[in-house]
mmCIF file of all heavy atoms in Angstrom:
data_model
loop_
_atom_site.group_PDB
_atom_site.id
_atom_site.type_symbol
_atom_site.label_atom_id
_atom_site.label_comp_id
_atom_site.label_asym_id
_atom_site.label_seq_id
_atom_site.Cartn_x
_atom_site.Cartn_y
_atom_site.Cartn_z
ATOM 1 N N VAL L 27 3.342 4.520 10.720
ATOM 2 C CA VAL L 27 2.898 4.434 9.346
ATOM 3 C C VAL L 27 3.358 5.673 8.480
ATOM 4 O O VAL L 27 3.431 6.775 9.045
ATOM 5 C CB VAL L 27 1.285 4.509 9.372
ATOM 6 C CG1 VAL L 27 0.788 4.621 7.909
ATOM 7 C CG2 VAL L 27 0.688 3.306 9.994
ATOM 8 N N VAL L 34 -6.266 3.056 6.724
ATOM 9 C CA VAL L 34 -5.842 1.616 6.686
ATOM 10 C C VAL L 34 -6.213 0.962 8.029
ATOM 11 O O VAL L 34 -6.264 1.619 9.082
ATOM 12 C CB VAL L 34 -4.346 1.514 6.423
ATOM 13 C CG1 VAL L 34 -3.542 2.018 7.568
ATOM 14 C CG2 VAL L 34 -3.947 0.031 6.145
ATOM 15 N N GLU L 35 -6.705 -0.328 7.874
ATOM 16 C CA GLU L 35 -6.991 -1.103 9.082
ATOM 17 C C GLU L 35 -5.968 -2.228 9.278
ATOM 18 O O GLU L 35 -5.684 -2.908 8.342
ATOM 19 C CB GLU L 35 -8.404 -1.760 8.946
ATOM 20 C CG GLU L 35 -9.487 -0.755 8.957
ATOM 21 C CD GLU L 35 -10.885 -1.355 8.924
ATOM 22 O OE1 GLU L 35 -11.027 -2.472 8.339
ATOM 23 O OE2 GLU L 35 -11.877 -0.854 9.427
ATOM 24 N N LEU L 36 -5.337 -2.191 10.434
ATOM 25 C CA LEU L 36 -4.441 -3.262 10.767
ATOM 26 C C LEU L 36 -5.036 -4.208 11.777
ATOM 27 O O LEU L 36 -5.873 -3.862 12.613
ATOM 28 C CB LEU L 36 -3.207 -2.648 11.393
ATOM 29 C CG LEU L 36 -2.453 -1.646 10.607
ATOM 30 C CD1 LEU L 36 -1.207 -1.085 11.264
ATOM 31 C CD2 LEU L 36 -2.031 -2.142 9.237
ATOM 32 N N LEU L 37 -4.577 -5.493 11.747
ATOM 33 C CA LEU L 37 -5.106 -6.500 12.689
ATOM 34 C C LEU L 37 -3.766 -7.053 13.366
ATOM 35 O O LEU L 37 -2.822 -7.366 12.662
ATOM 36 C CB LEU L 37 -5.817 -7.631 12.106
ATOM 37 C CG LEU L 37 -7.248 -7.384 11.677
ATOM 38 C CD1 LEU L 37 -7.802 -8.583 10.991
ATOM 39 C CD2 LEU L 37 -8.060 -7.157 12.931
ATOM 40 N N ASN L 38 -3.837 -7.296 14.673
ATOM 41 C CA ASN L 38 -2.757 -7.981 15.304
ATOM 42 C C ASN L 38 -3.369 -9.360 15.802
ATOM 43 O O ASN L 38 -4.373 -9.458 16.461
ATOM 44 C CB ASN L 38 -2.283 -7.285 16.513
ATOM 45 C CG ASN L 38 -1.031 -8.011 17.173
ATOM 46 O OD1 ASN L 38 -0.421 -8.858 16.524
ATOM 47 N ND2 ASN L 38 -0.639 -7.565 18.319
ATOM 48 N N ASP L 42 -7.124 -8.026 17.138
ATOM 49 C CA ASP L 42 -6.927 -6.684 17.739
ATOM 50 C C ASP L 42 -6.876 -5.649 16.533
ATOM 51 O O ASP L 42 -5.809 -5.460 15.907
ATOM 52 C CB ASP L 42 -5.592 -6.739 18.469
ATOM 53 C CG ASP L 42 -5.421 -5.507 19.344
ATOM 54 O OD1 ASP L 42 -6.340 -4.685 19.543
ATOM 55 O OD2 ASP L 42 -4.307 -5.357 19.946
ATOM 56 N N LEU L 43 -7.984 -4.980 16.328
ATOM 57 C CA LEU L 43 -8.237 -4.060 15.192
ATOM 58 C C LEU L 43 -7.768 -2.671 15.549
ATOM 59 O O LEU L 43 -8.079 -2.183 16.603
ATOM 60 C CB LEU L 43 -9.610 -4.109 14.778
ATOM 61 C CG LEU L 43 -10.131 -3.044 13.653
ATOM 62 C CD1 LEU L 43 -9.314 -3.470 12.370
ATOM 63 C CD2 LEU L 43 -11.521 -3.081 13.484
ATOM 64 N N LEU L 44 -7.031 -2.060 14.610
ATOM 65 C CA LEU L 44 -6.577 -0.722 14.750
ATOM 66 C C LEU L 44 -6.817 0.009 13.523
ATOM 67 O O LEU L 44 -6.359 -0.402 12.344
ATOM 68 C CB LEU L 44 -5.109 -0.721 15.132
ATOM 69 C CG LEU L 44 -4.463 0.645 15.483
ATOM 70 C CD1 LEU L 44 -5.137 1.291 16.617
ATOM 71 C CD2 LEU L 44 -2.948 0.462 15.705
ATOM 72 N N THR L 45 -7.602 1.100 13.430
ATOM 73 C CA THR L 45 -7.904 1.858 12.290
ATOM 74 C C THR L 45 -7.010 3.171 12.302
ATOM 75 O O THR L 45 -6.972 3.901 13.352
ATOM 76 C CB THR L 45 -9.359 2.342 12.264
ATOM 77 O OG1 THR L 45 -10.115 1.117 12.250
ATOM 78 C CG2 THR L 45 -9.727 3.114 11.104
ATOM 79 N N ILE L 46 -6.257 3.392 11.310
ATOM 80 C CA ILE L 46 -5.276 4.531 11.218
ATOM 81 C C ILE L 46 -5.603 5.380 9.972
ATOM 82 O O ILE L 46 -5.760 4.871 8.856
ATOM 83 C CB ILE L 46 -3.810 3.984 11.100
ATOM 84 C CG1 ILE L 46 -3.565 3.017 12.360
ATOM 85 C CG2 ILE L 46 -2.863 5.118 11.059
ATOM 86 C CD1 ILE L 46 -2.262 2.273 12.148
ATOM 87 N N PHE L 52 1.625 4.459 16.033
ATOM 88 C CA PHE L 52 0.435 3.774 16.454
ATOM 89 C C PHE L 52 0.795 2.728 17.452
ATOM 90 O O PHE L 52 1.950 2.305 17.535
ATOM 91 C CB PHE L 52 -0.282 3.154 15.187
ATOM 92 C CG PHE L 52 0.510 1.956 14.566
ATOM 93 C CD1 PHE L 52 0.441 0.687 15.044
ATOM 94 C CD2 PHE L 52 1.325 2.252 13.504
ATOM 95 C CE1 PHE L 52 1.193 -0.332 14.538
ATOM 96 C CE2 PHE L 52 2.011 1.296 12.892
ATOM 97 C CZ PHE L 52 1.981 -0.040 13.416
ATOM 98 N N PHE L 54 -1.215 -0.812 19.270
ATOM 99 C CA PHE L 54 -2.282 -1.727 19.356
ATOM 100 C C PHE L 54 -2.863 -1.590 20.809
ATOM 101 O O PHE L 54 -2.018 -1.626 21.735
ATOM 102 C CB PHE L 54 -2.006 -3.261 18.955
ATOM 103 C CG PHE L 54 -2.009 -3.407 17.456
ATOM 104 C CD1 PHE L 54 -0.764 -3.324 16.815
ATOM 105 C CD2 PHE L 54 -3.156 -3.654 16.828
ATOM 106 C CE1 PHE L 54 -0.795 -3.443 15.390
ATOM 107 C CE2 PHE L 54 -3.226 -3.894 15.487
ATOM 108 C CZ PHE L 54 -2.025 -3.726 14.783
ATOM 109 N N VAL L 66 1.061 -8.996 12.782
ATOM 110 C CA VAL L 66 0.359 -7.812 12.292
ATOM 111 C C VAL L 66 0.144 -7.923 10.698
ATOM 112 O O VAL L 66 1.063 -8.184 9.982
ATOM 113 C CB VAL L 66 1.113 -6.522 12.582
ATOM 114 C CG1 VAL L 66 0.363 -5.306 12.052
ATOM 115 C CG2 VAL L 66 1.254 -6.413 14.119
ATOM 116 N N THR L 67 -1.174 -7.734 10.331
ATOM 117 C CA THR L 67 -1.478 -7.812 8.859
ATOM 118 C C THR L 67 -2.366 -6.570 8.570
ATOM 119 O O THR L 67 -2.904 -5.999 9.482
ATOM 120 C CB THR L 67 -2.228 -9.047 8.556
ATOM 121 O OG1 THR L 67 -3.452 -9.168 9.410
ATOM 122 C CG2 THR L 67 -1.397 -10.367 8.779
ATOM 123 N N VAL L 68 -2.420 -6.341 7.337
ATOM 124 C CA VAL L 68 -3.384 -5.264 6.808
ATOM 125 C C VAL L 68 -4.685 -5.888 6.500
ATOM 126 O O VAL L 68 -4.860 -6.820 5.759
ATOM 127 C CB VAL L 68 -2.827 -4.641 5.503
ATOM 128 C CG1 VAL L 68 -3.786 -3.551 4.956
ATOM 129 C CG2 VAL L 68 -1.412 -3.951 5.805
ATOM 130 N N ARG L 69 -5.710 -5.406 7.166
ATOM 131 C CA ARG L 69 -7.059 -5.953 7.010
ATOM 132 C C ARG L 69 -7.727 -5.296 5.850
ATOM 133 O O ARG L 69 -8.313 -5.875 5.016
ATOM 134 C CB ARG L 69 -7.979 -5.735 8.234
ATOM 135 C CG ARG L 69 -9.398 -6.206 8.085
ATOM 136 C CD ARG L 69 -10.155 -5.879 9.374
ATOM 137 N NE ARG L 69 -11.531 -6.318 9.188
ATOM 138 C CZ ARG L 69 -12.515 -5.802 9.802
ATOM 139 N NH1 ARG L 69 -12.335 -4.896 10.686
ATOM 140 N NH2 ARG L 69 -13.750 -6.215 9.625
ATOM 141 N N THR L 70 -7.645 -3.888 5.767
ATOM 142 C CA THR L 70 -8.281 -3.158 4.718
ATOM 143 C C THR L 70 -7.346 -2.157 4.134
ATOM 144 O O THR L 70 -6.804 -1.391 4.985
ATOM 145 C CB THR L 70 -9.601 -2.446 5.137
ATOM 146 O OG1 THR L 70 -10.405 -3.368 5.783
ATOM 147 C CG2 THR L 70 -10.307 -1.738 4.099
ATOM 148 N N CYS L 77 -0.549 -0.807 1.333
ATOM 149 C CA CYS L 77 0.308 -0.546 2.471
ATOM 150 C C CYS L 77 0.904 -2.003 2.746
ATOM 151 O O CYS L 77 0.151 -3.014 2.660
ATOM 152 C CB CYS L 77 -0.469 -0.078 3.581
ATOM 153 S SG CYS L 77 -1.243 1.433 3.433
ATOM 154 N N LEU L 93 7.584 -1.727 14.332
ATOM 155 C CA LEU L 93 6.743 -2.052 13.119
ATOM 156 C C LEU L 93 6.753 -0.896 12.178
ATOM 157 O O LEU L 93 6.703 0.265 12.609
ATOM 158 C CB LEU L 93 5.318 -2.424 13.501
ATOM 159 C CG LEU L 93 4.922 -3.846 13.784
ATOM 160 C CD1 LEU L 93 5.605 -4.313 15.084
ATOM 161 C CD2 LEU L 93 3.455 -3.965 13.865
ATOM 162 N N VAL L 95 4.851 0.449 8.741
ATOM 163 C CA VAL L 95 3.871 0.236 7.628
ATOM 164 C C VAL L 95 4.098 1.401 6.629
ATOM 165 O O VAL L 95 4.015 2.611 7.021
ATOM 166 C CB VAL L 95 2.472 0.358 8.224
ATOM 167 C CG1 VAL L 95 1.466 0.172 7.085
ATOM 168 C CG2 VAL L 95 2.229 -0.773 9.274
#
Side-chain angles (χ1 to χ4, degrees):
V27 174
V34 64
E35 290 182 332
L36 303 178
L37 281 176
N38 187 16
D42 191 6
L43 177 63
L44 186 60
T45 302
I46 303 170
F52 65 85
F54 280 94
V66 176
T67 57
V68 176
R69 176 182 178 204
T70 305
C77 299
L93 270 67
V95 177

